[in-house]
Amino acid sequence: MYDEYKMTHNHYDTLTVLAIESSCDETAVAIVEGSGKVVCHEIYSQMELHAAYGGVVPEIASRNHLIALPRIFHKLLKTYSTITNKQIDAIAVTSGPGLIGSVIVGVMFAKGLAAALNKPCIPVNHLVGHALTVRMTHKDVDFPYLLLLVSGGHCQLLVVHGALNYETLGQTRDDAVGEAFDKVAKMLGLGYPGGPIIEEYAKNGDRYAITLPKPFVGSDSCEFSFSGLKTAVYKQIALAKQSHMFNQRFINDVCASFQHTIAEILVDRVCMAIRCCSVKHGVNNFVSTHNAHDNLHTYHQRKQYNMHKTHCELHNTENSYFDHIPTATMTKSFAVAGGVAANTYIRDILENTVHSQGMRFVSPPHSLCTDNAAMIAWAAIEMIRHNPSLLTYKQLDFFPRSRWPLSEVK
Ligand code: KG4
Ligand code: ZN
C-alpha cells in the first residue's frame, strides 16, 4: 500500500532503494533515496587478492564475494540501524554484464533478501549504473546527453536519450581503456589495477618522451582501438630491457606518454562524437549552417546533407539542414563515467576540450566513477520513475548475464 501511495502521488524523492553490486572485483552495498541522497555506501575491494596476477581472477573474485557480501551487508545494517525494513521500497542488484560467477553471487543474495523482506527485486545493467550516475550527482543533467563510458571492460561513446534508451555512436574494436591501463601496468610490473598506478608514475614522467600510435585518430567514425597501442608499449619495454635502459625514469616516461596518448585519442574521438551529434541531433551551435558541409565528416553525413539540400532546392524550402532538426533532441551536456573517469589528467583534458566546444562537462566524483552500489540503486530509481509498476512486481524471474550490451536494455 505504501508503495502504491508513492507511485500514485509521484513522490519519487522519498523512494528508498537498497542495492548490491558484485559484477567484478568490488563487493558493494548502498542505500540511495529518490532525491539522489546516498544514505550510505560500503565497498569492499578485492584488489590486493588479484594484484599478484596482474588482473582479476574470476574464480577468486566469486569466492570472495560470497564471503564479503554478508559481511558488508551486516556492517551496513549495524551502522544504519535506524533504517527499517519498512523504509526500503526495493532491492536492486547488478544482474550483468560482468564475471558470471561474481554476478550470480550478488543476484542470489539480492533475491534471497527480496523474498525474505517481501520487496521487489530490480535487475540493473551495470553499464546503465555508470551511465546514469551523473544524474544522481548533478540534478540538472537532462536527457539526451553525450556520454563517454570508459571502464575496465568498456569504451563507448553514446547518446543517452533516456534511462533505458541508448544510442551507440562508437565503441572499441578490441581492448577497453581501463584494460589497456591494466595490461601496460602489468608489462611494467607495477601491479593491479593499472589505472591509478600509471597515473601516479606519470606525474614524474615526460609525456613526450615516447611516441606511441593513436589508432583511429583523424578518422571519421567514433570507434576506438587500443590493442596496437598496447603492443607498441610492449615493444618499447622490450627494447629498453635489451639496451639496459629499463629504469625508473623509463617507467615514468612510459606511464606519462601512454596516459597522454590515451587522452589525445579520447579527445579526438569525443570531438568526432560532438560533430556527429551536431548533425544527427542538433547539438547546440558547433556547426553553423554556412560551414556545415566542411564539418560533415562521414560519407553518410555528407550524403544526408546533400540529399536534404537537394530536397530544399527542389521544393524551394528553407535551405538549412540544421533548422529541421527538432530542438527536443538537443544535447547540451557531455558526461564521462566509468573507472577511467577517475583519472584526473584525462578528466581535465576532456573538460577543457568539451568546454572549448561550448558544451557542459559533467562527471561523477572519483569515488562514484569506479564500481559501487550507489550507482545501481540510482539506476533502479530511474527505472522506477520510467516504469512505476516495477515497485509492485515481486517475481524473481530474471537471470544473471555475463553479456548485456546497452543496446539490449529495456
Ligand atoms: O568501472 P570500473 O571500476 O570497473 C569496470 O566496470 O570495469 O573500472 C575499472 C577500471 C580498471 O581497468 C582501472 O585500471 C581503471 O578503471 N581505473 C583507472 C583509474 N582508476 C581506475 N584508469 C586510469 N586512471 C585511473 N585513475
Ligand atoms: Zn564498472
Side-chain angles (χ1 to χ4, degrees):
M1 288 309 106
Y2 177 65
D3 296 345
E4 277 154 27
Y5 169 82
K6 280 183 176 176
M7 274 167 52
T8 50
H9 290 77
N10 260 346
H11 286 174
Y12 292 117
D13 278 6
T14 60
L15 269 175
T16 307
V17 172
L18 189 157
I20 290 155
E21 153 67 39
S22 68
S23 63
C24 191
D25 59 340
E26 259 100 25
T27 322
V29 289
I31 297 175
V32 175
E33 291 178 357
S35 62
K37 181 180 168 195
V38 179
V39 178
C40 53
H41 79 124
E42 294 284 342
I43 303 176
Y44 163 73
S45 174
Q46 302 181 4
M47 272 173 208
E48 282 174 15
L49 300 171
H50 302 279
Y53 305 94
V56 180
V57 183
E59 185 63 21
I60 295 178
S62 37
R63 283 175 188 277
N64 280 283
H65 284 306
L66 266 178
I67 300 165
L69 193 44
R71 278 194 196 152
I72 60 164
F73 184 69
H74 279 117
K75 188 173 164 203
L76 182 112
L77 291 188
K78 261 193 191 167
T79 322
Y80 297 91
S81 52
T82 49
I83 294 178
T84 63
N85 176 15
K86 234 185 153 184
Q87 285 167 286
I88 305 291
D89 293 297
I91 310 292
V93 63
T94 303
S95 65
L99 302 172
I100 193 64
S102 297
V103 178
I104 288 172
V105 175
V107 166
M108 291 307 147
F109 191 91
K111 284 188 178 183
L113 199 61
L117 301 178
N118 190 29
K119 304 284 178 192
C121 190
I122 301 175
V124 175
N125 180 300
H126 180 84
L127 305 174
V128 170
H130 279 304
L132 299 178
T133 311
V134 280
R135 283 174 44 87
M136 174 174 78
T137 55
H138 300 73
K139 284 283 133 5
D140 49 353
V141 175
D142 293 327
F143 297 124
Y145 55 93
L146 188 56
L147 172 74
L148 173 67
L149 178 53
V150 273
S151 68
H154 293 85
C155 178
Q156 297 180 323
L157 272 161
L158 307 134
V159 180
V160 185
H161 291 285
L164 298 175
N165 184 356
Y166 298 85
E167 178 187 354
T168 308
L169 300 176
Q171 55 192 321
T172 182
R173 286 198 182 178
D174 38 59
D175 292 345
V177 196
E179 189 180 356
F181 268 98
D182 294 338
K183 288 177 175 169
V184 166
K186 189 177 178 181
M187 286 176 208
L188 292 167
L190 300 181
Y192 173 85
I197 307 174
I198 290 184
E199 187 177 7
E200 209 43 46
Y201 280 86
K203 287 179 186 159
N204 299 317
D206 173 6
R207 63 186 171 177
Y208 301 114
I210 298 160
T211 308
L212 296 166
K214 296 171 206 153
F216 282 125
V217 163
S219 79
D220 56 4
S221 77
C222 293
E223 286 182 290
F224 302 84
S225 166
F226 297 102
S227 69
L229 171 59
K230 181 189 67 189
T231 308
V233 172
Y234 179 79
K235 284 184 180 160
Q236 292 287 340
I237 294 173
L239 273 176
K241 283 186 174 166
Q242 242 175 27
S243 52
H244 306 288
M245 296 290 284
F246 189 79
N247 51 30
Q248 190 57 54
R249 184 170 169 193
F250 172 80
I251 292 174
N252 294 345
D253 286 350
V254 170
C255 290
S257 304
F258 171 75
Q259 181 177 258
H260 183 66
T261 306
I262 293 273
E264 285 194 307
I265 295 171
L266 294 180
V267 160
D268 181 81
R269 309 295 58 218
V270 163
C271 287
M272 188 60 219
I274 291 174
R275 258 178 254 143
C276 187
C277 274
S278 311
V279 176
K280 289 177 78 176
H281 300 290
V283 169
N284 49 45
N285 53 1
F286 312 117
V287 188
S288 63
T289 48
H290 62 272
N291 67 1
H293 192 260
D294 297 342
N295 284 292
L296 300 177
H297 274 242
T298 67
Y299 169 73
H300 176 69
Q301 287 165 0
R302 271 195 296 271
K303 201 170 150 199
Q304 252 188 311
Y305 178 82
N306 287 334
M307 270 169 54
H308 170 78
K309 225 172 128 222
T310 315
H311 171 88
C312 289
E313 280 159 6
L314 278 176
H315 295 87
N316 198 19
T317 53
E318 173 55 59
N319 198 8
S320 159
Y321 177 79
F322 298 95
D323 289 348
H324 294 264
I325 295 165
T327 47
T329 56
M330 282 192 18
T331 311
K332 295 196 184 78
S333 299
F334 170 92
V336 58
V340 181
N343 184 298
T344 307
Y345 183 82
I346 291 178
R347 218 174 148 110
D348 288 351
I349 291 187
L350 282 175
E351 183 167 8
N352 286 339
T353 306
V354 168
H355 284 163
S356 74
Q357 300 286 314
M359 274 179 104
R360 179 179 177 211
F361 175 90
V362 276
S363 186
H366 288 59
S367 61
L368 295 177
C369 285
T370 44
D371 288 350
N372 64 85
M375 69 181 193
I376 303 304
W378 177 256
I381 288 165
E382 294 254 26
M383 287 164 71
I384 294 166
R385 281 192 180 139
H386 181 76
N387 174 15
S389 69
L390 284 174
L391 279 179
T392 45
Y393 188 77
K394 303 247 170 86
Q395 302 294 319
L396 301 172
D397 53 355
F398 64 89
F399 299 99
R401 301 165 73 158
S402 58
R403 193 187 157 275
W404 191 4
L406 280 171
S407 54
E408 288 176 20
V409 296
K410 46 184 187 292

